[in-house]
């Protein structure tokens, strides 16, 4: 049985790359979720993602979904693997989450059902989580710290 002090120390100690364990876990979890989401763009959830493509996007909804899926896979992989560029990846990832936010807004404004979001309340609730993703990307990659140092 371990005491609380040892557990807290283990959770907050730095990895060899200077990253805390909670931050590393959050970063790998986010990267894994992105890879999964990207694969789902290309396969089983393709039609659901098409419901989010705003009308002003000049590409077809299918091309937009495929392209964003490829980008998500690349960003997810980079979030996990590019240890020397974590902060830069975090900034790019946060910018990506900002860039796709109009799709979530379009789904809400046009009352488009997808992903089980079949009420305005469900679609509005989803909007709240986009800033959480942005914060998660910036914190888990160390981008917030890097930006504050500049």
């Amino acid at each position: 049985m371990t005491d609380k002090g040892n557990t807290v120390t283990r959770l907050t100690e730095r990895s060899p790359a200077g990253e805390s364990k909670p931050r590393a876990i959050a970063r790998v979890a986010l990267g894994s979720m992105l890879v999964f989401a990207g694969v789902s763009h290309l396969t089983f959830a393709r039609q659901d993602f098409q419901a989010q493509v705003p009308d002003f996007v000049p590409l077809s909804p299918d091309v937009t979904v495929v392209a964003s899926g490829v980008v998500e896979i690349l960003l997810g992989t980079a979030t996990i693997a590019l240890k020397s560029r974590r902060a830069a990846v975090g900034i790019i990832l946060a910018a990506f989450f900002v860039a796709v936010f109009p799709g979530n807004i379009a789904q809400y404004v046009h009352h488009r059902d997808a992903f089980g979001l079949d009420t305005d309340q469900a679609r509005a609730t989803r909007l709240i989580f986009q800033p959480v993703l942005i914060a998660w990307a910036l914190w888990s990659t160390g981008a917030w710290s890097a930006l504050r140092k500049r």
Side-chain angles (χ1 to χ4, degrees):
M1 196 169 169
T2 62
D3 66 11
K4 274 189 162 182
N6 288 338
T7 303
V8 171
T9 300
R10 278 196 315 274
L11 287 174
T12 58
E13 68 188 19
R14 303 263 173 205
S15 68
E19 178 182 44
S20 70
K21 285 185 181 181
R23 187 171 285 185
I25 291 167
R27 179 181 51 78
V28 171
L30 181 60
S32 298
M33 288 177 10
L34 282 163
V35 170
F36 177 79
V39 169
S40 70
H41 274 69
L42 306 177
T43 57
F44 64 90
R46 199 161 169 170
Q47 284 186 308
D48 281 334
F49 281 109
Q50 290 175 10
Q52 293 183 311
V53 178
D55 295 336
F56 64 81
V57 174
L59 302 171
S60 75
D62 193 53
V63 169
T64 302
V65 168
V66 169
S68 63
V70 170
V71 170
E72 282 195 38
I73 292 168
L74 292 172
L75 285 172
T77 303
T79 300
I80 296 167
L82 294 181
K83 293 181 181 183
S84 65
R85 301 283 184 228
R86 282 187 193 132
V89 170
I91 292 167
I92 294 166
L93 186 53
F96 175 78
F97 288 142
V98 170
V100 299
F101 190 55
N104 296 342
I105 294 169
Q107 184 180 5
Y108 173 75
V109 169
H110 298 293
H111 314 284
R112 296 177 183 156
D113 296 347
F115 305 108
L117 304 173
D118 56 1
T119 66
D120 284 344
Q121 181 177 357
R123 289 184 283 267
T125 301
R126 182 166 189 228
L127 294 175
I128 296 167
F129 288 99
Q130 202 72 10
V132 172
L133 285 173
I134 294 165
W136 187 355
L138 294 173
W139 175 77
S140 70
T141 61
W144 254 338
S145 299
L147 289 170
R148 277 187 274 161
K149 287 178 184 177
R150 289 189 160 195

mmCIF file with all atom_site columns, all heavy atoms in Angstrom, residues 100-117:
data_model
loop_
_atom_site.group_PDB
_atom_site.id
_atom_site.type_symbol
_atom_site.label_atom_id
_atom_site.label_alt_id
_atom_site.label_comp_id
_atom_site.label_asym_id
_atom_site.label_entity_id
_atom_site.label_seq_id
_atom_site.pdbx_PDB_ins_code
_atom_site.Cartn_x
_atom_site.Cartn_y
_atom_site.Cartn_z
_atom_site.occupancy
_atom_site.B_iso_or_equiv
_atom_site.pdbx_formal_charge
_atom_site.auth_seq_id
_atom_site.auth_comp_id
_atom_site.auth_asym_id
_atom_site.auth_atom_id
_atom_site.pdbx_PDB_model_num
ATOM 1   N N   . VAL A 1 100 ? -12.445 24.794 -37.084 1.00 0.00 ? 100 VAL A N   1
ATOM 2   C CA  . VAL A 1 100 ? -13.583 23.908 -37.332 1.00 0.00 ? 100 VAL A CA  1
ATOM 3   C C   . VAL A 1 100 ? -14.813 24.294 -36.512 1.00 0.00 ? 100 VAL A C   1
ATOM 4   O O   . VAL A 1 100 ? -15.892 23.735 -36.723 1.00 0.00 ? 100 VAL A O   1
ATOM 5   C CB  . VAL A 1 100 ? -13.226 22.415 -37.100 1.00 0.00 ? 100 VAL A CB  1
ATOM 6   C CG1 . VAL A 1 100 ? -12.119 21.975 -38.037 1.00 0.00 ? 100 VAL A CG1 1
ATOM 7   C CG2 . VAL A 1 100 ? -12.880 22.131 -35.654 1.00 0.00 ? 100 VAL A CG2 1
ATOM 8   N N   . PHE A 1 101 ? -14.667 25.245 -35.615 1.00 0.00 ? 101 PHE A N   1
ATOM 9   C CA  . PHE A 1 101 ? -15.790 25.664 -34.773 1.00 0.00 ? 101 PHE A CA  1
ATOM 10  C C   . PHE A 1 101 ? -16.995 26.154 -35.579 1.00 0.00 ? 101 PHE A C   1
ATOM 11  O O   . PHE A 1 101 ? -18.137 25.871 -35.205 1.00 0.00 ? 101 PHE A O   1
ATOM 12  C CB  . PHE A 1 101 ? -15.332 26.718 -33.772 1.00 0.00 ? 101 PHE A CB  1
ATOM 13  C CG  . PHE A 1 101 ? -16.339 27.033 -32.705 1.00 0.00 ? 101 PHE A CG  1
ATOM 14  C CD1 . PHE A 1 101 ? -16.874 26.035 -31.911 1.00 0.00 ? 101 PHE A CD1 1
ATOM 15  C CD2 . PHE A 1 101 ? -16.759 28.335 -32.497 1.00 0.00 ? 101 PHE A CD2 1
ATOM 16  C CE1 . PHE A 1 101 ? -17.805 26.327 -30.920 1.00 0.00 ? 101 PHE A CE1 1
ATOM 17  C CE2 . PHE A 1 101 ? -17.683 28.639 -31.514 1.00 0.00 ? 101 PHE A CE2 1
ATOM 18  C CZ  . PHE A 1 101 ? -18.214 27.631 -30.729 1.00 0.00 ? 101 PHE A CZ  1
ATOM 19  N N   . PRO A 1 102 ? -16.809 26.857 -36.713 1.00 0.00 ? 102 PRO A N   1
ATOM 20  C CA  . PRO A 1 102 ? -17.984 27.237 -37.513 1.00 0.00 ? 102 PRO A CA  1
ATOM 21  C C   . PRO A 1 102 ? -18.831 26.038 -37.943 1.00 0.00 ? 102 PRO A C   1
ATOM 22  O O   . PRO A 1 102 ? -20.042 26.173 -38.128 1.00 0.00 ? 102 PRO A O   1
ATOM 23  C CB  . PRO A 1 102 ? -17.377 27.956 -38.722 1.00 0.00 ? 102 PRO A CB  1
ATOM 24  C CG  . PRO A 1 102 ? -16.097 28.534 -38.194 1.00 0.00 ? 102 PRO A CG  1
ATOM 25  C CD  . PRO A 1 102 ? -15.580 27.478 -37.235 1.00 0.00 ? 102 PRO A CD  1
ATOM 26  N N   . GLY A 1 103 ? -18.226 24.869 -38.072 1.00 0.00 ? 103 GLY A N   1
ATOM 27  C CA  . GLY A 1 103 ? -19.004 23.675 -38.396 1.00 0.00 ? 103 GLY A CA  1
ATOM 28  C C   . GLY A 1 103 ? -19.963 23.307 -37.276 1.00 0.00 ? 103 GLY A C   1
ATOM 29  O O   . GLY A 1 103 ? -21.115 22.938 -37.524 1.00 0.00 ? 103 GLY A O   1
ATOM 30  N N   . ASN A 1 104 ? -19.503 23.439 -36.053 1.00 0.00 ? 104 ASN A N   1
ATOM 31  C CA  . ASN A 1 104 ? -20.382 23.170 -34.912 1.00 0.00 ? 104 ASN A CA  1
ATOM 32  C C   . ASN A 1 104 ? -21.497 24.208 -34.836 1.00 0.00 ? 104 ASN A C   1
ATOM 33  O O   . ASN A 1 104 ? -22.642 23.884 -34.520 1.00 0.00 ? 104 ASN A O   1
ATOM 34  C CB  . ASN A 1 104 ? -19.579 23.167 -33.612 1.00 0.00 ? 104 ASN A CB  1
ATOM 35  C CG  . ASN A 1 104 ? -18.557 22.052 -33.559 1.00 0.00 ? 104 ASN A CG  1
ATOM 36  O OD1 . ASN A 1 104 ? -18.625 21.081 -34.294 1.00 0.00 ? 104 ASN A OD1 1
ATOM 37  N ND2 . ASN A 1 104 ? -17.581 22.200 -32.683 1.00 0.00 ? 104 ASN A ND2 1
ATOM 38  N N   . ILE A 1 105 ? -21.140 25.448 -35.128 1.00 0.00 ? 105 ILE A N   1
ATOM 39  C CA  . ILE A 1 105 ? -22.143 26.516 -35.128 1.00 0.00 ? 105 ILE A CA  1
ATOM 40  C C   . ILE A 1 105 ? -23.173 26.267 -36.232 1.00 0.00 ? 105 ILE A C   1
ATOM 41  O O   . ILE A 1 105 ? -24.378 26.403 -36.017 1.00 0.00 ? 105 ILE A O   1
ATOM 42  C CB  . ILE A 1 105 ? -21.478 27.904 -35.283 1.00 0.00 ? 105 ILE A CB  1
ATOM 43  C CG1 . ILE A 1 105 ? -20.629 28.202 -34.048 1.00 0.00 ? 105 ILE A CG1 1
ATOM 44  C CG2 . ILE A 1 105 ? -22.518 28.982 -35.512 1.00 0.00 ? 105 ILE A CG2 1
ATOM 45  C CD1 . ILE A 1 105 ? -19.727 29.424 -34.198 1.00 0.00 ? 105 ILE A CD1 1
ATOM 46  N N   . ALA A 1 106 ? -22.695 25.876 -37.428 1.00 0.00 ? 106 ALA A N   1
ATOM 47  C CA  . ALA A 1 106 ? -23.606 25.593 -38.549 1.00 0.00 ? 106 ALA A CA  1
ATOM 48  C C   . ALA A 1 106 ? -24.566 24.465 -38.201 1.00 0.00 ? 106 ALA A C   1
ATOM 49  O O   . ALA A 1 106 ? -25.756 24.536 -38.526 1.00 0.00 ? 106 ALA A O   1
ATOM 50  C CB  . ALA A 1 106 ? -22.804 25.244 -39.800 1.00 0.00 ? 106 ALA A CB  1
ATOM 51  N N   . GLN A 1 107 ? -24.067 23.444 -37.534 1.00 0.00 ? 107 GLN A N   1
ATOM 52  C CA  . GLN A 1 107 ? -24.940 22.344 -37.142 1.00 0.00 ? 107 GLN A CA  1
ATOM 53  C C   . GLN A 1 107 ? -26.037 22.841 -36.209 1.00 0.00 ? 107 GLN A C   1
ATOM 54  O O   . GLN A 1 107 ? -27.193 22.456 -36.340 1.00 0.00 ? 107 GLN A O   1
ATOM 55  C CB  . GLN A 1 107 ? -24.134 21.236 -36.465 1.00 0.00 ? 107 GLN A CB  1
ATOM 56  C CG  . GLN A 1 107 ? -24.978 20.030 -36.125 1.00 0.00 ? 107 GLN A CG  1
ATOM 57  C CD  . GLN A 1 107 ? -24.192 18.921 -35.461 1.00 0.00 ? 107 GLN A CD  1
ATOM 58  O OE1 . GLN A 1 107 ? -23.013 19.055 -35.160 1.00 0.00 ? 107 GLN A OE1 1
ATOM 59  N NE2 . GLN A 1 107 ? -24.859 17.808 -35.224 1.00 0.00 ? 107 GLN A NE2 1
ATOM 60  N N   . TYR A 1 108 ? -25.695 23.747 -35.306 1.00 0.00 ? 108 TYR A N   1
ATOM 61  C CA  . TYR A 1 108 ? -26.674 24.310 -34.374 1.00 0.00 ? 108 TYR A CA  1
ATOM 62  C C   . TYR A 1 108 ? -27.659 25.238 -35.092 1.00 0.00 ? 108 TYR A C   1
ATOM 63  O O   . TYR A 1 108 ? -28.873 25.085 -34.972 1.00 0.00 ? 108 TYR A O   1
ATOM 64  C CB  . TYR A 1 108 ? -25.954 25.060 -33.259 1.00 0.00 ? 108 TYR A CB  1
ATOM 65  C CG  . TYR A 1 108 ? -26.893 25.808 -32.339 1.00 0.00 ? 108 TYR A CG  1
ATOM 66  C CD1 . TYR A 1 108 ? -27.655 25.129 -31.401 1.00 0.00 ? 108 TYR A CD1 1
ATOM 67  C CD2 . TYR A 1 108 ? -27.031 27.193 -32.434 1.00 0.00 ? 108 TYR A CD2 1
ATOM 68  C CE1 . TYR A 1 108 ? -28.538 25.811 -30.565 1.00 0.00 ? 108 TYR A CE1 1
ATOM 69  C CE2 . TYR A 1 108 ? -27.902 27.881 -31.614 1.00 0.00 ? 108 TYR A CE2 1
ATOM 70  C CZ  . TYR A 1 108 ? -28.652 27.189 -30.676 1.00 0.00 ? 108 TYR A CZ  1
ATOM 71  O OH  . TYR A 1 108 ? -29.513 27.869 -29.865 1.00 0.00 ? 108 TYR A OH  1
ATOM 72  N N   . VAL A 1 109 ? -27.131 26.168 -35.865 1.00 0.00 ? 109 VAL A N   1
ATOM 73  C CA  . VAL A 1 109 ? -27.966 27.185 -36.522 1.00 0.00 ? 109 VAL A CA  1
ATOM 74  C C   . VAL A 1 109 ? -28.939 26.568 -37.524 1.00 0.00 ? 109 VAL A C   1
ATOM 75  O O   . VAL A 1 109 ? -30.083 26.999 -37.626 1.00 0.00 ? 109 VAL A O   1
ATOM 76  C CB  . VAL A 1 109 ? -27.073 28.245 -37.217 1.00 0.00 ? 109 VAL A CB  1
ATOM 77  C CG1 . VAL A 1 109 ? -27.874 29.165 -38.118 1.00 0.00 ? 109 VAL A CG1 1
ATOM 78  C CG2 . VAL A 1 109 ? -26.308 29.054 -36.172 1.00 0.00 ? 109 VAL A CG2 1
ATOM 79  N N   . HIS A 1 110 ? -28.474 25.558 -38.231 1.00 0.00 ? 110 HIS A N   1
ATOM 80  C CA  . HIS A 1 110 ? -29.314 24.939 -39.271 1.00 0.00 ? 110 HIS A CA  1
ATOM 81  C C   . HIS A 1 110 ? -30.067 23.700 -38.764 1.00 0.00 ? 110 HIS A C   1
ATOM 82  O O   . HIS A 1 110 ? -30.693 22.993 -39.562 1.00 0.00 ? 110 HIS A O   1
ATOM 83  C CB  . HIS A 1 110 ? -28.467 24.587 -40.499 1.00 0.00 ? 110 HIS A CB  1
ATOM 84  C CG  . HIS A 1 110 ? -27.840 25.791 -41.134 1.00 0.00 ? 110 HIS A CG  1
ATOM 85  N ND1 . HIS A 1 110 ? -28.560 26.771 -41.767 1.00 0.00 ? 110 HIS A ND1 1
ATOM 86  C CD2 . HIS A 1 110 ? -26.541 26.203 -41.186 1.00 0.00 ? 110 HIS A CD2 1
ATOM 87  C CE1 . HIS A 1 110 ? -27.747 27.716 -42.199 1.00 0.00 ? 110 HIS A CE1 1
ATOM 88  N NE2 . HIS A 1 110 ? -26.522 27.391 -41.853 1.00 0.00 ? 110 HIS A NE2 1
ATOM 89  N N   . HIS A 1 111 ? -29.986 23.446 -37.463 1.00 0.00 ? 111 HIS A N   1
ATOM 90  C CA  . HIS A 1 111 ? -30.728 22.352 -36.820 1.00 0.00 ? 111 HIS A CA  1
ATOM 91  C C   . HIS A 1 111 ? -30.451 21.003 -37.493 1.00 0.00 ? 111 HIS A C   1
ATOM 92  O O   . HIS A 1 111 ? -31.364 20.219 -37.741 1.00 0.00 ? 111 HIS A O   1
ATOM 93  C CB  . HIS A 1 111 ? -32.234 22.638 -36.818 1.00 0.00 ? 111 HIS A CB  1
ATOM 94  C CG  . HIS A 1 111 ? -32.569 24.017 -36.384 1.00 0.00 ? 111 HIS A CG  1
ATOM 95  N ND1 . HIS A 1 111 ? -32.530 24.403 -35.059 1.00 0.00 ? 111 HIS A ND1 1
ATOM 96  C CD2 . HIS A 1 111 ? -32.924 25.127 -37.089 1.00 0.00 ? 111 HIS A CD2 1
ATOM 97  C CE1 . HIS A 1 111 ? -32.850 25.687 -34.964 1.00 0.00 ? 111 HIS A CE1 1
ATOM 98  N NE2 . HIS A 1 111 ? -33.089 26.151 -36.178 1.00 0.00 ? 111 HIS A NE2 1
ATOM 99  N N   . ARG A 1 112 ? -29.170 20.749 -37.762 1.00 0.00 ? 112 ARG A N   1
ATOM 100 C CA  . ARG A 1 112 ? -28.791 19.503 -38.434 1.00 0.00 ? 112 ARG A CA  1
ATOM 101 C C   . ARG A 1 112 ? -28.517 18.412 -37.408 1.00 0.00 ? 112 ARG A C   1
ATOM 102 O O   . ARG A 1 112 ? -27.690 18.569 -36.521 1.00 0.00 ? 112 ARG A O   1
ATOM 103 C CB  . ARG A 1 112 ? -27.549 19.728 -39.293 1.00 0.00 ? 112 ARG A CB  1
ATOM 104 C CG  . ARG A 1 112 ? -27.776 20.710 -40.422 1.00 0.00 ? 112 ARG A CG  1
ATOM 105 C CD  . ARG A 1 112 ? -26.511 20.951 -41.191 1.00 0.00 ? 112 ARG A CD  1
ATOM 106 N NE  . ARG A 1 112 ? -26.714 21.949 -42.217 1.00 0.00 ? 112 ARG A NE  1
ATOM 107 C CZ  . ARG A 1 112 ? -25.737 22.680 -42.730 1.00 0.00 ? 112 ARG A CZ  1
ATOM 108 N NH1 . ARG A 1 112 ? -24.491 22.521 -42.323 1.00 0.00 ? 112 ARG A NH1 1
ATOM 109 N NH2 . ARG A 1 112 ? -25.996 23.569 -43.656 1.00 0.00 ? 112 ARG A NH2 1
ATOM 110 N N   . ASP A 1 113 ? -29.207 17.297 -37.566 1.00 0.00 ? 113 ASP A N   1
ATOM 111 C CA  . ASP A 1 113 ? -29.010 16.155 -36.672 1.00 0.00 ? 113 ASP A CA  1
ATOM 112 C C   . ASP A 1 113 ? -27.784 15.364 -37.116 1.00 0.00 ? 113 ASP A C   1
ATOM 113 O O   . ASP A 1 113 ? -27.657 15.014 -38.291 1.00 0.00 ? 113 ASP A O   1
ATOM 114 C CB  . ASP A 1 113 ? -30.223 15.232 -36.690 1.00 0.00 ? 113 ASP A CB  1
ATOM 115 C CG  . ASP A 1 113 ? -31.476 15.899 -36.143 1.00 0.00 ? 113 ASP A CG  1
ATOM 116 O OD1 . ASP A 1 113 ? -31.366 16.964 -35.531 1.00 0.00 ? 113 ASP A OD1 1
ATOM 117 O OD2 . ASP A 1 113 ? -32.568 15.341 -36.336 1.00 0.00 ? 113 ASP A OD2 1
ATOM 118 N N   . ALA A 1 114 ? -26.895 15.095 -36.173 1.00 0.00 ? 114 ALA A N   1
ATOM 119 C CA  . ALA A 1 114 ? -25.735 14.236 -36.413 1.00 0.00 ? 114 ALA A CA  1
ATOM 120 C C   . ALA A 1 114 ? -25.130 13.892 -35.065 1.00 0.00 ? 114 ALA A C   1
ATOM 121 O O   . ALA A 1 114 ? -25.223 14.677 -34.116 1.00 0.00 ? 114 ALA A O   1
ATOM 122 C CB  . ALA A 1 114 ? -24.702 14.943 -37.294 1.00 0.00 ? 114 ALA A CB  1
ATOM 123 N N   . PHE A 1 115 ? -24.528 12.742 -34.983 1.00 0.00 ? 115 PHE A N   1
ATOM 124 C CA  . PHE A 1 115 ? -23.879 12.280 -33.757 1.00 0.00 ? 115 PHE A CA  1
ATOM 125 C C   . PHE A 1 115 ? -24.857 12.174 -32.591 1.00 0.00 ? 115 PHE A C   1
ATOM 126 O O   . PHE A 1 115 ? -24.473 12.342 -31.441 1.00 0.00 ? 115 PHE A O   1
ATOM 127 C CB  . PHE A 1 115 ? -22.713 13.199 -33.355 1.00 0.00 ? 115 PHE A CB  1
ATOM 128 C CG  . PHE A 1 115 ? -21.700 13.393 -34.425 1.00 0.00 ? 115 PHE A CG  1
ATOM 129 C CD1 . PHE A 1 115 ? -21.596 14.600 -35.095 1.00 0.00 ? 115 PHE A CD1 1
ATOM 130 C CD2 . PHE A 1 115 ? -20.847 12.362 -34.769 1.00 0.00 ? 115 PHE A CD2 1
ATOM 131 C CE1 . PHE A 1 115 ? -20.659 14.783 -36.088 1.00 0.00 ? 115 PHE A CE1 1
ATOM 132 C CE2 . PHE A 1 115 ? -19.902 12.536 -35.764 1.00 0.00 ? 115 PHE A CE2 1
ATOM 133 C CZ  . PHE A 1 115 ? -19.813 13.747 -36.427 1.00 0.00 ? 115 PHE A CZ  1
ATOM 134 N N   . GLY A 1 116 ? -26.117 11.959 -32.866 1.00 0.00 ? 116 GLY A N   1
ATOM 135 C CA  . GLY A 1 116 ? -27.104 11.877 -31.805 1.00 0.00 ? 116 GLY A CA  1
ATOM 136 C C   . GLY A 1 116 ? -27.513 13.229 -31.251 1.00 0.00 ? 116 GLY A C   1
ATOM 137 O O   . GLY A 1 116 ? -28.283 13.309 -30.300 1.00 0.00 ? 116 GLY A O   1
ATOM 138 N N   . LEU A 1 117 ? -27.001 14.286 -31.831 1.00 0.00 ? 117 LEU A N   1
ATOM 139 C CA  . LEU A 1 117 ? -27.376 15.638 -31.411 1.00 0.00 ? 117 LEU A CA  1
ATOM 140 C C   . LEU A 1 117 ? -28.615 16.037 -32.193 1.00 0.00 ? 117 LEU A C   1
ATOM 141 O O   . LEU A 1 117 ? -28.535 16.648 -33.252 1.00 0.00 ? 117 LEU A O   1
ATOM 142 C CB  . LEU A 1 117 ? -26.226 16.621 -31.667 1.00 0.00 ? 117 LEU A CB  1
ATOM 143 C CG  . LEU A 1 117 ? -24.888 16.267 -31.013 1.00 0.00 ? 117 LEU A CG  1
ATOM 144 C CD1 . LEU A 1 117 ? -23.796 17.217 -31.471 1.00 0.00 ? 117 LEU A CD1 1
ATOM 145 C CD2 . LEU A 1 117 ? -25.010 16.274 -29.504 1.00 0.00 ? 117 LEU A CD2 1
#
